Amino acid sequence: MYPKLRALLALGAVIALPMSVAACGSDDSDDSSTESGVVGVPEEFQPVTAAPDDAQEGGSLTMLNAGDVDYMDPGAAYYQTTYTVTQATQRALLAWDPDDVEKATPDLADGEAEISDDGLTITFKLKEGVEFAPPVSREVTSADVKYAIERTVLPGVLNGYVANYASDIVGFEEAAKEAEDNPTGGAPDMAGITTPDDYTLQIELNEPEVATATTVASMLSLPISAPVPEEFAEKHDAKNPTTYGQYVIATGPYMIENDPETGELTGYTPGKEIHLVRNPNWDPETDWRPAYLDEITIQEGFTDTASASRKILEGDSQMSGDFPPPKEVLKEAAEEAAPEQLQLPPLAGFRHIALNTQEPPFDDENIRKAVVANSDREALRNTRGGPLVGQVATHYISPGFPGFEEGGGLEGPDLDFIKSPTGDPDLAAEYMKEAGFESGKCEGDICEITMVGDNIPPGKDTAEVFKGQLEDLGFKVNFQPVDHSIMYTRFCSVPEQSPQVCPNVGWLPDFRDPQPMLDVPFYGPFIDPENNSNWPQLDDPEVNAAIEEARTVNGEQERADAWGEVDRLVSSKAPAVPWIWENFPLIQSEDVAGVVNLNNASWDLSFTSLKGE
């Protein structure tokens, strides 16, 4: 149901830092924040979210990537690194200003969504004068956005999230069924999406069961609402899979270099290079992005991240993309690089160690609580670098996110088994006794468990440390280290093959709302036979009911309250060990004035520039 590519890339990325670097520029506590910056990040590594006043126009920038984007097609795009490209080349109805983590900014829309009093109608007005890049070269209309949304139900488009957030649109289920029955018949009409005129898009909802107007409107800040010209794309969408990803038409300040006659992308060689150039039809009067650079080349295949990182730090006009520098280079960057060559934006998500709640011994809540109580989460964090790379998590919704304070804030909910960041063995023993083990330690065959995790640091280091913590409680752990992708696709994300413990999983929400933060990872009916992201396989009736109720709540504070209660409830069930709210290290050459988009914890290419002589 729900491909978890965001989780696989961003939270599966390797982030490591030695303790000596973790202390650089700060003391060894979590109190190293500035008064106005990101909590837990020393001032010298705070993410820069605005271009300098004297930002230079022009120039060429190179970004180094280890891997490729997932899909060029905005209807399918779902990787964190793909969003770096789409936010420069596409204009969704809503987008994110670099320093805004509270509310999306109208982009293609000419204002915020208008939601009717009954919460069943969403209306967007579009800006006039926004044009498609060549070879389409015409003004964007509301029909292009309608088509963009409707085509995402086509099996050939491979969208990973629309069913979760859009299923309450009138006619969605019928359109999805039509597309399933006739996958090459083109995008089906969705009755609830109408275009009263060229600049108005209206979306009608059923009485909410899964989504609310707030959720649907938030979803439209994703690339799903980037307009797609039907007359150009329909022949590509008549194929399964669609070939539109080879001919994507831009609306943003940049476009992937293409053949001006056919639209075929000549600037994209999968796994090797993406070449962005200026979109000649982009009108800065309709956009709030400054777009300083003339061209951007994303070079891929830099799997030797140490060499790539040094190349960036010592070179000119370069920045990192989908990988953080490995620990030895990160140490050099923290101690020796020029100011702002290293920035530490926070990832809006959480790392956790999943305990399989469907299988013994972790089907017993007291045993799970014992494991959480015994966990030294500071030791786990040290495997990735200590305080500089994030804060010890005390629940799931991350700092700065709606529902964070309501879920417990930095201190966490009032649960004894999660209070100590370094673990409480005595309390763990008490919970083991509650589970029937008089010695306070696990005994018997039930204690023989399997754990599948990463086969390279730092994930392997985390798994090894946690293995020791489990053994302290009497468990006999069979640790099977495997390649990171296999860990997901063959084990942790396949319930039938899932081990008792998955120590290297993490989650990023799809947009700035607490529903995508908690819904998929902990809602029982979302457990999928393949590509599952409810890694603890939590299927608790009380949690399920609370999630279903919270989904239907409108209003920012009301939703924060409702989902904060869900967060507290999930935490009380101890389905996992939440252990870090993480920062993602980004590096750049000294002559680059990189700007970070906090919503995506990555560089914002439309605000980045080169420094003058």
Side-chain angles (χ1 to χ4, degrees):
M1 174 195 283
Y2 193 96
K4 308 305 183 300
L5 302 180
R6 292 262 284 168
L8 298 186
L9 179 76
L11 283 172
V14 178
I15 303 175
L17 202 65
M19 284 305 293
S20 60
V21 181
C24 179
S26 69
D27 60 23
D28 217 28
S29 73
D30 281 342
D31 298 325
S32 54
S33 63
T34 61
E35 289 185 2
S36 59
V38 175
V39 174
V41 176
E43 184 171 1
E44 60 266 42
F45 304 132
Q46 287 283 329
V48 175
T49 58
D53 293 338
D54 60 348
Q56 302 297 305
E57 296 275 355
S60 300
L61 176 73
T62 300
M63 174 180 282
L64 304 188
N65 270 16
D68 197 3
V69 298
D70 57 342
Y71 302 103
M72 278 298 179
D73 186 338
Y78 207 29
Y79 268 5
Q80 182 192 27
T81 192
T82 310
Y83 287 2
T84 302
V85 175
T86 58
Q87 69 188 8
T89 59
Q90 298 294 335
R91 298 187 66 177
L93 287 171
L94 306 170
W96 293 92
D97 205 46
D99 65 349
D100 196 344
V101 296
E102 298 294 331
K103 197 170 190 178
T105 301
D107 186 0
L108 182 60
D110 194 23
E112 297 180 4
E114 299 174 12
I115 298 177
S116 62
D117 291 341
D118 62 5
L120 298 180
T121 304
I122 306 168
T123 303
F124 279 100
K125 295 291 185 179
L126 272 62
K127 290 177 182 173
E128 299 183 24
V130 177
E131 288 196 7
F132 285 109
V136 174
S137 297
R138 67 160 172 81
E139 188 177 25
V140 171
T141 71
S142 52
D144 300 314
V145 181
K146 172 179 165 66
Y147 180 75
I149 299 170
E150 290 173 337
R151 66 187 292 273
T152 60
V153 301
L154 290 171
V157 174
L158 300 172
N159 182 277
Y161 53 83
V162 66
N164 277 355
Y165 305 126
S167 59
D168 283 331
I169 295 176
V170 171
F172 179 89
E173 298 294 344
E174 293 82 354
K177 180 66 165 59
E178 181 181 339
E180 182 180 357
D181 292 343
N182 187 14
T184 59
D189 181 71
M190 208 170 289
I193 304 178
T194 57
T195 56
D197 58 55
D198 284 350
Y199 305 107
T200 304
L201 182 80
Q202 200 162 75
I203 301 175
E204 299 289 340
L205 303 181
N206 299 304
E207 288 291 339
E209 295 180 4
V210 175
T212 65
T214 300
T215 304
V216 175
S218 296
M219 176 193 69
L220 298 176
S221 68
L222 299 173
I224 186 177
S225 71
V228 175
E230 181 174 6
E231 77 276 14
F232 181 86
E234 60 183 347
K235 61 180 177 294
H236 301 293
D237 288 344
K239 301 175 183 178
N240 187 11
T242 178
T243 55
Y244 181 64
Q246 301 169 31
Y247 299 83
V248 174
I249 305 299
T251 47
Y254 297 99
M255 57 183 279
I256 300 165
E257 189 174 29
N258 67 8
D259 183 313
E261 299 296 327
T262 67
E264 183 175 5
L265 303 184
T266 58
Y268 176 45
T269 304
K272 293 184 177 180
E273 186 173 282
I274 305 170
H275 184 212
L276 305 183
V277 297
R278 288 191 178 277
N279 174 2
N281 293 343
W282 176 69
D283 182 357
E285 294 298 319
T286 69
D287 203 340
W288 37 265
R289 297 169 185 81
Y292 297 110
L293 298 162
D294 286 333
E295 62 177 346
I296 302 150
T297 301
I298 301 173
Q299 296 181 350
E300 302 173 340
F302 285 89
T303 54
D304 182 352
T305 58
S307 296
S309 297
R310 288 194 174 94
K311 176 180 172 67
I312 293 166
L313 291 169
E314 298 167 5
D316 298 318
S317 308
Q318 299 174 65
M319 56 178 21
S320 60
D322 63 352
F323 62 87
K327 60 184 180 182
E328 67 275 11
V329 185
L330 197 49
K331 181 179 187 298
E332 297 168 13
E335 296 178 349
E336 303 171 14
E340 297 177 2
Q341 280 194 267
L342 170 64
Q343 298 184 35
L344 295 172
L347 284 165
F350 54 87
R351 285 192 188 273
H352 55 299
I353 294 171
L355 308 175
N356 189 337
T357 64
Q358 298 296 315
E359 299 288 341
F362 301 124
D363 57 344
D364 187 317
E365 188 174 304
N366 282 314
I367 294 179
R368 301 198 302 268
K369 289 178 177 178
V371 170
V372 177
N374 190 65
S375 299
D376 184 342
R377 286 168 286 139
E378 286 190 1
L380 294 171
R381 181 180 64 171
N382 288 347
T383 64
R384 303 192 82 84
L388 194 62
V389 294
Q391 300 180 88
V392 169
T394 55
H395 51 111
Y396 296 98
I397 297 179
S398 59
F401 220 81
F404 169 70
E405 294 295 341
E406 293 78 3
L410 290 174
E411 294 299 318
D414 187 21
L415 300 170
D416 59 354
F417 58 87
I418 206 168
K419 279 190 177 297
S420 175
T422 57
D424 187 339
D426 292 337
L427 180 62
E430 291 301 315
Y431 275 110
M432 291 300 288
K433 291 175 183 177
E434 288 288 328
F437 300 101
E438 293 184 5
S439 67
K441 302 279 188 180
C442 196
E443 299 168 343
D445 293 344
I446 198 174
C447 307
E448 297 179 5
I449 61 176
T450 299
M451 179 172 71
V452 176
D454 285 343
N455 61 355
I456 60 173
K460 184 179 180 182
D461 297 338
T462 306
E464 293 283 6
V465 168
F466 191 67
K467 176 176 179 286
Q469 295 175 6
L470 288 170
E471 290 171 342
D472 288 341
L473 277 177
F475 294 99
K476 297 177 177 63
V477 183
N478 173 22
F479 174 40
Q480 299 180 11
V482 298
D483 179 78
H484 186 78
S485 62
I486 292 175
M487 179 198 79
Y488 281 109
T489 57
R490 290 181 55 184
F491 297 102
C492 295
S493 292
V494 183
E496 286 191 359
Q497 302 297 325
S498 183
Q500 282 100 337
V501 183
C502 287
N504 301 130
V505 294
W507 181 250
L508 280 178
D510 289 320
F511 46 83
R512 290 274 168 176
D513 182 87
Q515 179 176 337
M517 181 77 83
L518 298 177
D519 202 341
V520 173
F522 299 114
Y523 182 56
F526 279 173
I527 297 173
D528 291 334
E530 294 182 1
N531 211 9
N532 173 56
S533 282
N534 181 341
W535 293 294
Q537 298 182 57
L538 183 66
D539 192 6
D540 182 277
E542 188 179 6
V543 171
N544 294 343
I547 286 175
E548 289 163 4
E549 183 177 353
R551 287 174 182 155
T552 64
V553 173
N554 277 312
E556 292 181 15
Q557 186 57 54
E558 291 82 356
R559 286 181 70 78
D561 290 339
W563 286 100
E565 285 303 312
V566 172
D567 193 359
R568 289 175 180 270
L569 182 59
V570 171
S571 297
S572 75
K573 305 292 183 179
V577 181
W579 61 277
I580 190 170
W581 292 311
E582 190 168 13
N583 303 323
F584 190 83
L586 298 171
I587 56 173
Q588 60 186 340
S589 300
E590 194 170 355
D591 67 335
V592 178
V595 172
V596 172
N597 192 299
L598 291 180
N599 179 63
N600 201 34
S602 62
W603 299 115
D604 195 317
L605 300 175
S606 297
F607 285 81
T608 292
S609 61
L610 300 181
K611 297 178 181 177
E613 296 294 335

